[in-house]
Every structure is written in structure tokens, then in C-alpha cells.
Amino acid sequence: MPILEGKKNEPLFPTRSSKTSWFRKLAALVGLTIVLCLVGKQAPGATILQQPTLEYLPNIFQNGQLDLCHQEKPLVPQRNSELWSNLSKTFGTEDFKDRAIGWLAGAVKYPTESYDNMDPVGVDPRWDTFGPLQEYLISAFPLVNTKLSLAKINTYGLLYEWTGSDTSLKPIVLAAHQDVVPVLPETVKEWTHPPYSGYFDGTRIWGRGASDDKSGLIGILSAVESMLEKGFEPTRTVVLAFGFDEEAHGHYGAAELAKAMLDVYGGNAFAFIIDEGGGFGEVYGSTIATPSIAEKGYMDLLVEVASPGGHSSVPPKHTSIGMLARVLVELEDHPYPVQITKDHILYRTLQCFAAHSKDLPKDFRKAIKRSASSKKAMKALNDIISQEPRFAASVGTTQALDLINGGVKTNALPERASAVINHRISTLEHVSNVKEHSTKTVKHLADKFNLTFNAFGITLTDPSVPKYGDLSLSVAFGKSDLEPAPITPTEGSNAGPYKLLSSTIRAAYREHRGLGTEVEAGVEEDDDIVVAPGMSTGNTDTKYYWDLTEHILRYNHRNAGTPEAPSTGGVHTVNEYIEVDSFLEMIKFFSMLILNADESTTI
Ligand SMILES: [Zn+2]
């Protein structure tokens, strides 16, 4: 995940430890409680059981019972059941654990850092760290590198094909990235174990990339190598796509891999693509996996003000910097609304919390459940999520003023001043909404300061009238805008890949804990895992993969653990680690997913 886009593995939603503060907030919302009481009177139980008109929730009733969060049944490989039980035994041995630790620790030792604004491969020497990593991968995974075909894309992009016997089946893609977020030299002393040591302390593997995303990269390769060792030959082709600059926008890695895959396989050629993204962990007292089925859009807005220079001893009333400051304040004072609707992915995630999270605050649960049929409850729900930055950011378009520049000398009036505002665009909005909102918000200031106003290439003031200076809005850095990702289908006949993923998550989770993987195994809900559609506020390499499949799944079965005992941490900061047990579970998950996809007739 790019460096500015939040910490992965930090659960997107508040967990049990934040429950107390939730209760405090809720207690403070006396008005809200009153609203909920009123809602309670107006929407008795019989009313809330009316089936809402939600086309994407066709399973909302199961056997006459309200089913807010339909769960797929766990699925273990059938045709390959013998292979699976054999693999599963191997994965449980101390020998395999040692190999897995060695594989991941070995990869962590290569400081494959990627930076913003790097020059192309072959020009910028900082790419040279990737060569030794790739030599390591070839020696560590000999079968992968002899049995699969490999194309190197733009030198360091790795595109493997494990050719299946039935080429009429759509291939699947397992993706990960080889690069890591740079370690700031001044923070090295804060690391308990050196960042590129791959140190194993008996429980955890430490180092930059141990979690993000070398656990994904090595998890996939370990799974494939192990399956090759058992002699598995796929029916369905498996493609592995490993970029090398995901943390720096993916221009050289994933963008080029996407072109290569489009050339070789064509558009919409894959049954699904799975890449890093959501994991699972404890949310409000229950274990919930949240595969991301969408990503927000993106735009960096450049605001520039220009006005005549001169000596500071004879200043105008407003300098370029003063006018820019006024424009920025105006934009911050007009944030985008947070308004959850039934179409938001968060709404669906919340349905799962309401149905399954045992420690969800009572009023929150009530608001979620009743919101399906009550506008008042929906408003109450919106009030609750607006108080929580992570929920609010998940629903609405956000803006963050991140860069500012202007002025060169204290005795010279600044001729130019500029700022960049980062936007993450709601999945229900578009780049055009951001352009429209910012244009409307600041237009009156162009008039007030008598500036020519150019918004995204269009001059909105009368060019024949003389002006004092210029105000312009544009997309920063040439082309930094990105529409929200298409939403991966999760319901109906076109949702085979998501359902397969859900079933595999549930089976892999149960298998790893020695719970029954059979559907009717009598697993207590407290011990089980719930799968809820989730979304990401940041972007991954998959932003280049939209044309390759409708079914992009951002999930790698990484266990976030509980707030009291996290299983992974330090992503994008100091002391990154992953517990070996979590890493082993990832390997099992990838193996099971490959086998389940191989056998599937619904993807
Ligand atoms: Zn990542």
C-alpha cells in the first residue's frame, strides 16, 4: 500500500478496545438516544422485518429469518482432497515451519525500497536492489522457477504462468508486490531488531516488508512450491504477477504488468485477481474477514495563485500567499458530506457487524438493523459513523491539504503560491464531483480578489476585463486522478469468485484452528469467522487491473489478531513484524484457494 495511504493490517474498524470510547460517545449523544427511542416506537419489530428493496442483498431472508449478512459455507478441496490433506499435514510440521521462516526472513533481508518520483528502471540506481532479491527467489523456489514460465516485465516485474491442462478455463491471478516502504535512516535506532535482519525471535519474523507485502509475495511462492513438490498439476492456469513499485504508485511495475497481461491474455480474461488488501481480525468481539471489493478514487488538486511581485515595503492588501490561504480555508470549511446510504459498501459491512459482532454497542446495532426500513434510524446511523473518522472516511470523499509552497524572500512579494490537496473519492462519486465542488467553493474568492479564474482548463471569468492576478485549479502532477474502482460483484449469479473466496476463507480459518471444516461441523459462532464485504480507502496495484477482470479481490488472509494481542504490526512504520503462525496460515490459504479455484465450476 502506498506510503501515504494508511497502515495496512490496522483493522479498518474500531475493535473491542475502542468500545469504551464508543459508549462514551454514544452516551454523549443524548439526542441520538431520543431519536432511537422514537424510532423504536415507530418501527416495531414487525416493521423492521419487512424486506428492504435491496437488490444486492437477495439472501437477506434465510428460512424466513432476517439474514443481514449471508455467509457462504466453508469449502475444502474435493477432487484434490487427498493432496489437500497431504499438504495440510506437511504445513503442520516443524520442518515446514522452519522452511517458511527461512523463506520469508531471507526475502526481508533485501532492502527493495521504492520511492516517489523514481527515474525509470536502468536510469535510477535505486532499482538495483531488486536484482539480488530476484536471484534469491530463483534459488529459494527452484520448482517455481523451473516448472512455471517466467516473463520479466520492465526488468523487475515478474509474470509467472503455471499452465493448466484445460485452457478453456479462465486463469486466475495471484498478485503481490516486491517493494517495501523505505526505512528512514533516523528511525533505524528505534527498531528492536534491524529492519533488514529478518530476525526470528521464536514467534515473530521482524523487518521491513515482513508483513507488507513480502508475506504475500513469499506466501504465494511458498504455496506454489509446496504444491509442486507434491506433484500437483493444475487444470486451471494460475498466473502470478509481482510488481515492484506499489508503494510508489505502480507506474513501472503493475502498470507494465497490466499491459503485458492484456497483450497475452486479453481483456476480461481472468476468473479473478487476488492481491493484498483486507485481512481478518477481531472486530467488536468477533472475528471478521473483510475482503476489499472496491477502492476509493483519487485526485491531487493543485491550487495556484499568481499576482504581481514587488518590494515588501509597499505591499498590496493581499499577497499571493494571503489569497491562497483564504482559498484553502474556504475549501477546508466546505468538506464533502458524510452520508451513508444502502449503496455504500460500509453499509454492507455494518450489516455484518450487526448480525455477528457480539460486542457491538447496543444502540449502534439497533441503528444498523432498523436503518433498512427507517429513515430516522438511517439518520441516527449516519450520526454515529460521522463521529468516527475511519467510518466517515470510508463513506465520504475526503480532502487533506498536504503540500504548500510560496515565497522566496522576506523583502520580495511572492509572485506565486501553490498548494496540493489530496482527495480520496467516495465509491459513489467521481473525479468530476471533486472538480465541481472545488470550483463552486472558491469561485466567489476569485471575484473578491479580482483574479482570473481558471478551473481545470476552462476560464470562468471574463478575459476582456483586466484582473489583478490569477487563481487556477488543476489536477496536480500531470495526471493524478483516478475514478473509484468498479465494485466486485458479491451477490447473484455473477458473484462466483467472491463466494469462492468467502468459502475458502472460512475453510482455511477453521482448518488452521483444528475446527471442523465440514459445513455441519457444529462450530460455535464464537469460534468461527464471518466474511463481510469491505473496502479500502487507499489504492493497490489492482488500480491498473480493471480491464483484466470484473472480479478483483483484495485480500490475503493476514491475521490482525486482537487489539490486546496483534499478530502483525509496524506496517509503514518502525518494528514491522508478522507472527509465524499468521504467515503459515497465509500459505495454507493460498494453497486452498488455488485448489478450490482449480475445481470450481462457478468462476
Ligand atoms: Zn502493500
Side-chain angles (χ1 to χ4, degrees), residues 101-117:
I101 294 163
W103 274 330
L104 179 55
V108 169
K109 288 177 182 158
Y110 297 92
T112 46
E113 299 179 344
S114 62
Y115 300 82
D116 287 338
N117 307 317

Side-chain angles (χ1 to χ4, degrees), residues 36-113:
L36 287 172
C37 290
L38 289 171
V39 169
K41 279 181 190 153
Q42 290 170 2
T47 310
I48 64 164
L49 286 175
Q50 279 175 3
Q51 184 157 12
T53 52
L54 301 177
E55 284 184 9
Y56 52 82
L57 286 176
N59 292 312
I60 197 158
F61 280 87
Q62 292 288 309
N63 306 322
Q65 296 291 309
L66 187 63
D67 183 8
L68 294 174
C69 176
H70 175 70
Q71 293 299 298
E72 296 300 320
K73 295 174 172 57
L75 177 68
V76 288
Q78 304 293 312
R79 195 175 68 223
N80 295 291
S81 61
E82 210 170 299
L83 169 70
W84 172 247
S85 83
N86 194 341
L87 269 172
S88 188
K89 270 192 207 114
T90 300
F91 292 151
T93 62
E94 283 299 309
D95 274 359
F96 185 81
K97 183 174 155 186
D98 290 345
R99 285 183 87 192
I101 294 163
W103 274 330
L104 179 55
V108 169
K109 288 177 182 158
Y110 297 92
T112 46
E113 299 179 344

Side-chain angles (χ1 to χ4, degrees), residues 257-267 548:
L257 281 163
K259 284 184 211 159
M261 285 191 273
L262 211 50
D263 270 359
V264 175
Y265 301 97
L548 297 168

Side-chain angles (χ1 to χ4, degrees), residues 67 69-74 352 356 502 506 529-533:
D67 183 8
C69 176
H70 175 70
Q71 293 299 298
E72 296 300 320
K73 295 174 172 57
C352 290
H356 298 285
S502 296
R506 302 197 70 216
I529 189 168
V530 168
V531 182

Side-chain angles (χ1 to χ4, degrees), residues 1 8 177 212-213 246-247 276:
M1 181 169 274
K8 211 165 298 141
H177 62 89
D212 180 13
D213 181 33
E246 192 276 344
E247 305 289 4
E276 62 172 343

Side-chain angles (χ1 to χ4, degrees), residues 1-2 8 176-177 179-181 211-214 246-247 275-277 539-541 556 558 571-572:
M1 181 169 274
K8 211 165 298 141
H177 62 89
D179 60 311
V180 297
V181 170
S211 183
D212 180 13
D213 181 33
K214 284 181 175 163
E246 192 276 344
E247 305 289 4
D275 196 1
E276 62 172 343
N539 298 112
T540 59
D541 275 344
N556 50 16
R558 197 182 286 128
V571 170
H572 288 209

